[in-house]
Each structure stands twice: as structure tokens, then as C-alpha cells.
């Protein structure tokens, strides 16, 4: 796993070097830093060789199997010491040129399903209202838009869902500057829409493994 992660960072550095210097760049990890969270994993991420690119972290459901996940996330982001990713301990914000990415935690301690919760939704509403004309992306581990194959999972589909997606949809209807949501969790490449927001779920596969 360490070799795969190092190879992925190496490829990102290589691709970033080929882009024009004036193009804003950053790396956002969309959660699940490890299958089973251990302190060594968080320390490894804190030492990531990004070639100078800002590294922003979002917790996933696997990270939430550690009762100390919030403290570990705060410690790791502090160790990264990157002013581009501004955190309040869990939630964060990345300024990327004319765009911004709001970093959200959909983690529910000990559960596979996700939820933002009233407090975080209120924070999101406030941050969006503060810059109504600035194009914005959301980044959260659990998908905001349900995958079309989710009904085939039956009761298990609940694990793939953001349980307060309807509340998020109502909120985003007031903030048309949000153009997309970046998520992981489902281990598929997929793009879907909900209201005026496009959901992007990226997955990269190579001969060494899945990232």
C-alpha cells in the first residue's frame, strides 16, 4: 500500500510539472486513508512528497473506525502546515485561483453511511452566502448523488448514501455558485447530476492496485 501511494504521488508530481505554472493546483484525498486506521498511516500521509502542491484531506468511513479520528486529522493537517487548506479542525476550505473547494466531513463515527449534520450544513450555508459569486466545488467522501445501481443493493444501499442529501439539495438550491461535488466511497468512475450540481466520483486503476 505504501508503494502504491508513493507511486500515485509520483505520477501527480509528474503531471503537475507539465501544466502551466499559472494554473492553480492542489491534491485532495477524498477519504479512506487506510483500510484500518492506525497512527502510522496518519504519520505517512503527513510526510507525503507532493512536490510542493497543497495536500487537503477529507475523512472517510474507514478513518472513522478510530475513535480519535478527528484529533488525528487535526494533527495531520497541522503537520502538513499548508496555508492553502484552511481547517477548523474537521471542515476546511481550499482556495484554488478563482475557484474554491469546501472540504466537508460526511463521516459518522463507526458507520459506513454518511451524514453532514445540522451544524455542518449551517457552516456550509454561511460560507456559501459569504461569497455568492465565487464558483465553488464541494468535496466529501460519501456521494451526494445516488448511483443509478444503488437500488440493486437493497438494504445495503444505505451504506453508499449521504443520509441528509435532501437537506443538502435544499441548501444548494439557494447557492447556484456550487457547480460540482467530488466524492469517493463507491470505488467506481461515475458522473451524475442532482439539481444544478454535477457529482464526480473518480477512481484510478493500474496494474499495482486501486487508488
Amino acid at each position: 500500500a505504501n508503494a502504491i501511494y508513493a507511486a500515485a504521488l509520483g505520477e501527480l508530481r509528474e503531471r503537475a510539472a507539465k501544466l502551466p505554472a499559472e494554473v492553480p493546483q492542489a491534491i485532495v484525498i477524498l477519504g479512506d486513508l487506510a483500510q484500518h486506521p492506525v497512527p502510522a498511516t496518519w504519520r505517512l500521509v503527513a510526510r507525503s512528497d507532493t512536490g510542493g502542491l497543497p495536500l487537503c484531506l477529507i475523512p472517510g468511513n474507514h478513518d472513522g473506525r478510530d475513535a480519535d479520528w478527528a484529533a488525528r486529522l487535526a494533527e495531520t493537517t497541522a503537520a502538513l502546515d499548508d496555508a492553502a487548506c484552511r481547517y477548523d479542525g474537521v471542515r476546511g476550505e481550499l482556495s484554488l485561483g478563482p475557484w474554491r473547494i469546501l472540504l466537508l466531513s460526511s463521516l459518522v463515527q463507526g458507520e459506513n453511511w454518511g451524514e453532514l449534520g445540522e451544524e455542518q450544513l449551517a457552516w456550509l450555508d454561511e460560507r456559501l452566502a459569504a461569497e455568492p459569486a465565487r464558483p465553488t466545488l464541494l468535496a466529501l467522501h460519501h456521494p451526494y448523488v445516488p448511483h443509478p445501481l444503488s437500488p440493486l443493493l437493497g438494504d445495503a444501499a444505505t451504506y453508499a448514501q449521504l443520509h441528509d442529501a435532501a437537506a443538502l439539495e435544499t441548501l444548494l438550491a439557494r447557492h447556484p455558485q456550487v457547480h460540482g461535488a467530488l466524492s469517493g466511497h463507491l470505488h467506481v468512475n461515475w458522473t451524475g447530476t442532482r439539481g444544478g450540481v454535477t457529482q464526480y466520483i473518480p477512481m484510478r486503476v493500474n496494474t499495482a492496485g486501486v487508488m
Side-chain angles (χ1 to χ4, degrees), residues 154-190:
D155 292 342
T158 185
Y159 301 131
Q161 296 173 354
L162 184 71
H163 280 198
D164 49 3
L168 177 58
E169 183 175 26
T170 299
L171 186 157
L172 293 181
R174 302 193 296 270
H175 302 288
Q177 77 268 35
V178 177
H179 296 282
L182 311 174
S183 298
H185 193 54
L186 293 187
H187 301 269
V188 297
N189 288 308
W190 182 69

mmCIF file of all heavy atoms in Angstrom, residues 154-190:
data_model
loop_
_atom_site.group_PDB
_atom_site.id
_atom_site.type_symbol
_atom_site.label_atom_id
_atom_site.label_comp_id
_atom_site.label_asym_id
_atom_site.label_seq_id
_atom_site.Cartn_x
_atom_site.Cartn_y
_atom_site.Cartn_z
ATOM 1 N N GLY A 154 -30.354 -3.178 -2.512
ATOM 2 C CA GLY A 154 -31.379 -3.410 -1.494
ATOM 3 C C GLY A 154 -31.056 -2.663 -0.215
ATOM 4 O O GLY A 154 -30.662 -1.492 -0.237
ATOM 5 N N ASP A 155 -31.162 -3.342 0.911
ATOM 6 C CA ASP A 155 -30.910 -2.704 2.204
ATOM 7 C C ASP A 155 -29.470 -2.213 2.328
ATOM 8 O O ASP A 155 -29.198 -1.248 3.058
ATOM 9 C CB ASP A 155 -31.205 -3.678 3.346
ATOM 10 C CG ASP A 155 -32.691 -3.999 3.468
ATOM 11 O OD1 ASP A 155 -33.500 -3.229 2.906
ATOM 12 O OD2 ASP A 155 -33.025 -5.010 4.112
ATOM 13 N N ALA A 156 -28.560 -2.864 1.615
ATOM 14 C CA ALA A 156 -27.154 -2.467 1.704
ATOM 15 C C ALA A 156 -26.895 -1.103 1.073
ATOM 16 O O ALA A 156 -25.853 -0.494 1.312
ATOM 17 C CB ALA A 156 -26.268 -3.519 1.038
ATOM 18 N N ALA A 157 -27.846 -0.602 0.283
ATOM 19 C CA ALA A 157 -27.660 0.691 -0.378
ATOM 20 C C ALA A 157 -27.494 1.818 0.629
ATOM 21 O O ALA A 157 -26.902 2.849 0.315
ATOM 22 C CB ALA A 157 -28.841 0.986 -1.306
ATOM 23 N N THR A 158 -28.009 1.643 1.832
ATOM 24 C CA THR A 158 -27.889 2.698 2.835
ATOM 25 C C THR A 158 -26.437 3.025 3.145
ATOM 26 O O THR A 158 -26.096 4.153 3.491
ATOM 27 C CB THR A 158 -28.615 2.294 4.145
ATOM 28 O OG1 THR A 158 -28.585 3.392 5.058
ATOM 29 C CG2 THR A 158 -27.965 1.089 4.793
ATOM 30 N N TYR A 159 -25.536 2.037 2.982
ATOM 31 C CA TYR A 159 -24.126 2.267 3.274
ATOM 32 C C TYR A 159 -23.466 3.168 2.237
ATOM 33 O O TYR A 159 -22.410 3.747 2.499
ATOM 34 C CB TYR A 159 -23.367 0.947 3.342
ATOM 35 C CG TYR A 159 -23.889 0.003 4.393
ATOM 36 C CD1 TYR A 159 -24.157 -1.325 4.100
ATOM 37 C CD2 TYR A 159 -24.121 0.453 5.698
ATOM 38 C CE1 TYR A 159 -24.637 -2.194 5.078
ATOM 39 C CE2 TYR A 159 -24.603 -0.406 6.677
ATOM 40 C CZ TYR A 159 -24.861 -1.724 6.357
ATOM 41 O OH TYR A 159 -25.339 -2.568 7.327
ATOM 42 N N ALA A 160 -24.055 3.260 1.058
ATOM 43 C CA ALA A 160 -23.469 4.046 -0.019
ATOM 44 C C ALA A 160 -24.012 5.469 -0.062
ATOM 45 O O ALA A 160 -23.635 6.234 -0.937
ATOM 46 C CB ALA A 160 -23.739 3.354 -1.365
ATOM 47 N N GLN A 161 -24.862 5.826 0.875
ATOM 48 C CA GLN A 161 -25.602 7.074 0.763
ATOM 49 C C GLN A 161 -25.167 8.128 1.760
ATOM 50 O O GLN A 161 -24.677 7.824 2.853
ATOM 51 C CB GLN A 161 -27.100 6.802 0.958
ATOM 52 C CG GLN A 161 -27.709 5.927 -0.115
ATOM 53 C CD GLN A 161 -29.145 5.545 0.212
ATOM 54 O OE1 GLN A 161 -29.635 5.849 1.293
ATOM 55 N NE2 GLN A 161 -29.811 4.901 -0.716
ATOM 56 N N LEU A 162 -25.394 9.371 1.355
ATOM 57 C CA LEU A 162 -25.353 10.503 2.268
ATOM 58 C C LEU A 162 -26.783 10.684 2.768
ATOM 59 O O LEU A 162 -27.675 11.057 2.016
ATOM 60 C CB LEU A 162 -24.888 11.757 1.525
ATOM 61 C CG LEU A 162 -24.702 13.015 2.355
ATOM 62 C CD1 LEU A 162 -23.489 12.883 3.265
ATOM 63 C CD2 LEU A 162 -24.564 14.235 1.449
ATOM 64 N N HIS A 163 -27.021 10.419 4.034
ATOM 65 C CA HIS A 163 -28.391 10.313 4.530
ATOM 66 C C HIS A 163 -29.153 11.630 4.553
ATOM 67 O O HIS A 163 -30.379 11.625 4.533
ATOM 68 C CB HIS A 163 -28.391 9.673 5.916
ATOM 69 C CG HIS A 163 -28.257 8.188 5.865
ATOM 70 N ND1 HIS A 163 -28.588 7.354 6.912
ATOM 71 C CD2 HIS A 163 -27.810 7.361 4.880
ATOM 72 C CE1 HIS A 163 -28.368 6.093 6.568
ATOM 73 N NE2 HIS A 163 -27.884 6.074 5.348
ATOM 74 N N ASP A 164 -28.423 12.751 4.620
ATOM 75 C CA ASP A 164 -29.130 14.033 4.578
ATOM 76 C C ASP A 164 -28.903 14.757 3.249
ATOM 77 O O ASP A 164 -28.803 15.981 3.186
ATOM 78 C CB ASP A 164 -28.747 14.920 5.762
ATOM 79 C CG ASP A 164 -27.245 15.042 5.975
ATOM 80 O OD1 ASP A 164 -26.478 14.476 5.167
ATOM 81 O OD2 ASP A 164 -26.840 15.706 6.951
ATOM 82 N N ALA A 165 -28.849 13.972 2.169
ATOM 83 C CA ALA A 165 -28.676 14.550 0.832
ATOM 84 C C ALA A 165 -29.822 15.481 0.473
ATOM 85 O O ALA A 165 -29.622 16.495 -0.207
ATOM 86 C CB ALA A 165 -28.549 13.443 -0.213
ATOM 87 N N ALA A 166 -31.043 15.159 0.918
ATOM 88 C CA ALA A 166 -32.183 16.021 0.600
ATOM 89 C C ALA A 166 -32.021 17.394 1.246
ATOM 90 O O ALA A 166 -32.335 18.429 0.631
ATOM 91 C CB ALA A 166 -33.484 15.367 1.057
ATOM 92 N N ALA A 167 -31.508 17.431 2.494
ATOM 93 C CA ALA A 167 -31.264 18.709 3.163
ATOM 94 C C ALA A 167 -30.170 19.488 2.439
ATOM 95 O O ALA A 167 -30.255 20.722 2.302
ATOM 96 C CB ALA A 167 -30.878 18.473 4.619
ATOM 97 N N LEU A 168 -29.151 18.791 1.961
ATOM 98 C CA LEU A 168 -28.092 19.451 1.207
ATOM 99 C C LEU A 168 -28.648 20.013 -0.095
ATOM 100 O O LEU A 168 -28.302 21.125 -0.503
ATOM 101 C CB LEU A 168 -26.960 18.467 0.931
ATOM 102 C CG LEU A 168 -25.797 18.984 0.085
ATOM 103 C CD1 LEU A 168 -25.148 20.206 0.718
ATOM 104 C CD2 LEU A 168 -24.755 17.883 -0.138
ATOM 105 N N GLU A 169 -29.519 19.254 -0.755
ATOM 106 C CA GLU A 169 -30.117 19.724 -2.004
ATOM 107 C C GLU A 169 -30.921 21.005 -1.781
ATOM 108 O O GLU A 169 -30.841 21.954 -2.568
ATOM 109 C CB GLU A 169 -31.008 18.639 -2.603
ATOM 110 C CG GLU A 169 -31.617 19.023 -3.935
ATOM 111 C CD GLU A 169 -32.387 17.886 -4.568
ATOM 112 O OE1 GLU A 169 -32.865 17.003 -3.829
ATOM 113 O OE2 GLU A 169 -32.506 17.862 -5.802
ATOM 114 N N THR A 170 -31.679 21.062 -0.714
ATOM 115 C CA THR A 170 -32.453 22.258 -0.390
ATOM 116 C C THR A 170 -31.531 23.450 -0.159
ATOM 117 O O THR A 170 -31.792 24.570 -0.627
ATOM 118 C CB THR A 170 -33.317 22.015 0.860
ATOM 119 O OG1 THR A 170 -34.226 20.953 0.588
ATOM 120 C CG2 THR A 170 -34.096 23.260 1.244
ATOM 121 N N LEU A 171 -30.437 23.215 0.544
ATOM 122 C CA LEU A 171 -29.473 24.282 0.810
ATOM 123 C C LEU A 171 -28.842 24.781 -0.486
ATOM 124 O O LEU A 171 -28.746 25.997 -0.719
ATOM 125 C CB LEU A 171 -28.410 23.763 1.774
ATOM 126 C CG LEU A 171 -27.359 24.728 2.315
ATOM 127 C CD1 LEU A 171 -26.794 24.190 3.626
ATOM 128 C CD2 LEU A 171 -26.203 24.946 1.334
ATOM 129 N N LEU A 172 -28.425 23.856 -1.341
ATOM 130 C CA LEU A 172 -27.717 24.238 -2.560
ATOM 131 C C LEU A 172 -28.632 24.960 -3.550
ATOM 132 O O LEU A 172 -28.146 25.713 -4.402
ATOM 133 C CB LEU A 172 -27.106 23.005 -3.222
ATOM 134 C CG LEU A 172 -25.981 22.331 -2.428
ATOM 135 C CD1 LEU A 172 -25.434 21.132 -3.185
ATOM 136 C CD2 LEU A 172 -24.864 23.322 -2.120
ATOM 137 N N ALA A 173 -29.927 24.763 -3.433
ATOM 138 C CA ALA A 173 -30.854 25.489 -4.303
ATOM 139 C C ALA A 173 -30.755 26.994 -4.075
ATOM 140 O O ALA A 173 -31.096 27.794 -4.964
ATOM 141 C CB ALA A 173 -32.282 25.016 -4.052
ATOM 142 N N ARG A 174 -30.281 27.401 -2.900
ATOM 143 C CA ARG A 174 -30.116 28.820 -2.591
ATOM 144 C C ARG A 174 -28.757 29.351 -3.021
ATOM 145 O O ARG A 174 -28.503 30.561 -2.928
ATOM 146 C CB ARG A 174 -30.276 29.055 -1.078
ATOM 147 C CG ARG A 174 -31.594 28.607 -0.507
ATOM 148 C CD ARG A 174 -31.798 29.158 0.898
ATOM 149 N NE ARG A 174 -30.816 28.665 1.856
ATOM 150 C CZ ARG A 174 -30.986 27.556 2.580
ATOM 151 N NH1 ARG A 174 -32.094 26.822 2.439
ATOM 152 N NH2 ARG A 174 -30.067 27.169 3.451
ATOM 153 N N HIS A 175 -27.861 28.460 -3.482
ATOM 154 C CA HIS A 175 -26.483 28.851 -3.781
ATOM 155 C C HIS A 175 -26.055 28.289 -5.136
ATOM 156 O O HIS A 175 -25.332 27.282 -5.206
ATOM 157 C CB HIS A 175 -25.549 28.361 -2.677
ATOM 158 C CG HIS A 175 -25.895 28.873 -1.316
ATOM 159 N ND1 HIS A 175 -25.698 30.179 -0.934
ATOM 160 C CD2 HIS A 175 -26.455 28.242 -0.244
ATOM 161 C CE1 HIS A 175 -26.095 30.338 0.325
ATOM 162 N NE2 HIS A 175 -26.559 29.186 0.759
ATOM 163 N N PRO A 176 -26.479 28.907 -6.215
ATOM 164 C CA PRO A 176 -26.183 28.362 -7.553
ATOM 165 C C PRO A 176 -24.719 28.432 -7.948
ATOM 166 O O PRO A 176 -24.352 27.907 -9.002
ATOM 167 C CB PRO A 176 -27.051 29.236 -8.473
ATOM 168 C CG PRO A 176 -27.252 30.517 -7.714
ATOM 169 C CD PRO A 176 -27.311 30.118 -6.273
ATOM 170 N N GLN A 177 -23.864 29.041 -7.114
ATOM 171 C CA GLN A 177 -22.442 29.072 -7.457
ATOM 172 C C GLN A 177 -21.763 27.731 -7.241
ATOM 173 O O GLN A 177 -20.611 27.530 -7.641
ATOM 174 C CB GLN A 177 -21.718 30.158 -6.653
ATOM 175 C CG GLN A 177 -21.417 29.819 -5.198
ATOM 176 C CD GLN A 177 -22.511 30.276 -4.243
ATOM 177 O OE1 GLN A 177 -23.686 30.256 -4.589
ATOM 178 N NE2 GLN A 177 -22.122 30.709 -3.047
ATOM 179 N N VAL A 178 -22.457 26.766 -6.605
ATOM 180 C CA VAL A 178 -21.887 25.423 -6.428
ATOM 181 C C VAL A 178 -22.126 24.628 -7.704
ATOM 182 O O VAL A 178 -23.263 24.343 -8.073
ATOM 183 C CB VAL A 178 -22.515 24.698 -5.226
ATOM 184 C CG1 VAL A 178 -21.950 23.284 -5.103
ATOM 185 C CG2 VAL A 178 -22.245 25.488 -3.936
ATOM 186 N N HIS A 179 -21.038 24.278 -8.375
ATOM 187 C CA HIS A 179 -21.147 23.623 -9.677
ATOM 188 C C HIS A 179 -20.895 22.120 -9.631
ATOM 189 O O HIS A 179 -21.242 21.407 -10.577
ATOM 190 C CB HIS A 179 -20.161 24.272 -10.663
ATOM 191 C CG HIS A 179 -20.464 25.703 -10.941
ATOM 192 N ND1 HIS A 179 -21.463 26.107 -11.797
ATOM 193 C CD2 HIS A 179 -19.913 26.841 -10.446
ATOM 194 C CE1 HIS A 179 -21.501 27.428 -11.847
ATOM 195 N NE2 HIS A 179 -20.577 27.905 -11.029
ATOM 196 N N GLY A 180 -20.275 21.628 -8.554
ATOM 197 C CA GLY A 180 -19.973 20.203 -8.542
ATOM 198 C C GLY A 180 -19.642 19.705 -7.158
ATOM 199 O O GLY A 180 -19.370 20.488 -6.232
ATOM 200 N N ALA A 181 -19.689 18.380 -7.012
ATOM 201 C CA ALA A 181 -19.314 17.711 -5.767
ATOM 202 C C ALA A 181 -18.344 16.589 -6.112
ATOM 203 O O ALA A 181 -18.592 15.801 -7.024
ATOM 204 C CB ALA A 181 -20.544 17.154 -5.063
ATOM 205 N N LEU A 182 -17.229 16.527 -5.392
ATOM 206 C CA LEU A 182 -16.221 15.488 -5.572
ATOM 207 C C LEU A 182 -16.358 14.480 -4.441
ATOM 208 O O LEU A 182 -16.367 14.861 -3.266
ATOM 209 C CB LEU A 182 -14.817 16.102 -5.548
ATOM 210 C CG LEU A 182 -14.574 17.328 -6.421
ATOM 211 C CD1 LEU A 182 -13.184 17.894 -6.161
ATOM 212 C CD2 LEU A 182 -14.743 16.981 -7.880
ATOM 213 N N SER A 183 -16.471 13.202 -4.765
ATOM 214 C CA SER A 183 -16.664 12.172 -3.744
ATOM 215 C C SER A 183 -15.899 10.902 -4.097
ATOM 216 O O SER A 183 -15.463 10.720 -5.236
ATOM 217 C CB SER A 183 -18.153 11.830 -3.584
ATOM 218 O OG SER A 183 -18.891 12.951 -3.153
ATOM 219 N N GLY A 184 -15.773 10.033 -3.111
ATOM 220 C CA GLY A 184 -15.165 8.720 -3.306
ATOM 221 C C GLY A 184 -16.146 7.646 -2.897
ATOM 222 O O GLY A 184 -17.265 7.598 -3.358
ATOM 223 N N HIS A 185 -15.720 6.740 -2.027
ATOM 224 C CA HIS A 185 -16.544 5.759 -1.326
ATOM 225 C C HIS A 185 -17.021 4.591 -2.179
ATOM 226 O O HIS A 185 -16.979 3.450 -1.744
ATOM 227 C CB HIS A 185 -17.748 6.455 -0.678
ATOM 228 C CG HIS A 185 -18.497 5.604 0.311
ATOM 229 N ND1 HIS A 185 -17.879 4.980 1.369
ATOM 230 C CD2 HIS A 185 -19.821 5.284 0.404
ATOM 231 C CE1 HIS A 185 -18.789 4.311 2.077
ATOM 232 N NE2 HIS A 185 -19.958 4.468 1.509
ATOM 233 N N LEU A 186 -17.504 4.832 -3.409
ATOM 234 C CA LEU A 186 -18.156 3.775 -4.188
ATOM 235 C C LEU A 186 -17.192 2.944 -5.027
ATOM 236 O O LEU A 186 -17.598 1.937 -5.598
ATOM 237 C CB LEU A 186 -19.227 4.376 -5.111
ATOM 238 C CG LEU A 186 -20.444 4.997 -4.426
ATOM 239 C CD1 LEU A 186 -21.487 5.382 -5.465
ATOM 240 C CD2 LEU A 186 -21.058 4.040 -3.404
ATOM 241 N N HIS A 187 -15.934 3.354 -5.155
ATOM 242 C CA HIS A 187 -14.940 2.597 -5.927
ATOM 243 C C HIS A 187 -15.377 2.413 -7.382
ATOM 244 O O HIS A 187 -15.232 1.320 -7.956
ATOM 245 C CB HIS A 187 -14.675 1.227 -5.280
ATOM 246 C CG HIS A 187 -14.177 1.328 -3.870
ATOM 247 N ND1 HIS A 187 -12.841 1.379 -3.549
ATOM 248 C CD2 HIS A 187 -14.850 1.408 -2.696
ATOM 249 C CE1 HIS A 187 -12.701 1.475 -2.238
ATOM 250 N NE2 HIS A 187 -13.897 1.498 -1.699
ATOM 251 N N VAL A 188 -15.917 3.472 -7.961
ATOM 252 C CA VAL A 188 -16.285 3.457 -9.383
ATOM 253 C C VAL A 188 -15.906 4.801 -9.988
ATOM 254 O O VAL A 188 -15.725 5.784 -9.284
ATOM 255 C CB VAL A 188 -17.799 3.223 -9.597
ATOM 256 C CG1 VAL A 188 -18.229 1.874 -9.088
ATOM 257 C CG2 VAL A 188 -18.624 4.337 -8.950
ATOM 258 N N ASN A 189 -15.784 4.824 -11.322
ATOM 259 C CA ASN A 189 -15.722 6.085 -12.050
ATOM 260 C C ASN A 189 -17.138 6.424 -12.482
ATOM 261 O O ASN A 189 -17.755 5.654 -13.231
ATOM 262 C CB ASN A 189 -14.822 5.949 -13.288
ATOM 263 C CG ASN A 189 -13.352 5.862 -12.920
ATOM 264 O OD1 ASN A 189 -12.842 6.694 -12.182
ATOM 265 N ND2 ASN A 189 -12.671 4.856 -13.430
ATOM 266 N N TRP A 190 -17.654 7.553 -12.032
ATOM 267 C CA TRP A 190 -19.046 7.864 -12.371
ATOM 268 C C TRP A 190 -19.302 9.358 -12.210
ATOM 269 O O TRP A 190 -18.735 10.027 -11.350
ATOM 270 C CB TRP A 190 -19.997 7.087 -11.462
ATOM 271 C CG TRP A 190 -21.452 7.328 -11.777
ATOM 272 C CD1 TRP A 190 -22.119 6.926 -12.896
ATOM 273 C CD2 TRP A 190 -22.401 8.033 -10.973
ATOM 274 N NE1 TRP A 190 -23.429 7.335 -12.831
ATOM 275 C CE2 TRP A 190 -23.631 8.006 -11.666
ATOM 276 C CE3 TRP A 190 -22.331 8.667 -9.733
ATOM 277 C CZ2 TRP A 190 -24.779 8.616 -11.160
ATOM 278 C CZ3 TRP A 190 -23.468 9.271 -9.219
ATOM 279 C CH2 TRP A 190 -24.677 9.238 -9.932
#
